[in-house]
Amino acid sequence: MFQKGLQTFAWKAEDADGDRLTYTIEHRREGEGTWHTLRAGLLDPLVVWDTTSVADGRYVVRVRATD
């Protein structure tokens, strides 16, 4: 289903020891240096971002995984 402004991200990650991973999703506007936390403490490798919460432009998204 399409809804304007929503962007879905899914990823796959593995831990060599088999530990459960926790994810933090961050974003920054292209050309800027400061990362902003979108979600932290995620246990599932899926997030939906309502992009109407940020100014128009191009953004970079990163996923950090910790065990």
Side-chain angles (χ1 to χ4, degrees):
M1 180 168 105
F2 176 79
Q3 186 171 345
K4 185 177 180 176
L6 295 184
Q7 182 67 52
T8 302
F9 297 95
W11 58 93
K12 183 176 181 178
E14 296 177 5
D15 180 74
D17 299 330
D19 297 335
R20 181 145 191 193
L21 297 173
T22 302
Y23 305 103
T24 299
I25 313 303
E26 299 171 313
H27 67 87
R28 66 174 171 82
R29 192 166 184 165
E30 195 171 74
E32 294 183 358
T34 303
W35 289 95
H36 304 279
T37 300
L38 179 62
R39 301 275 193 294
L42 291 173
L43 298 175
D44 295 319
L46 176 74
V47 69
V48 177
W49 179 19
D50 180 359
T51 60
T52 62
S53 64
V54 294
D56 288 347
R58 294 176 61 102
Y59 287 81
V60 179
V61 175
R62 74 177 174 188
V63 177
R64 292 187 305 125
T66 57
D67 65 354

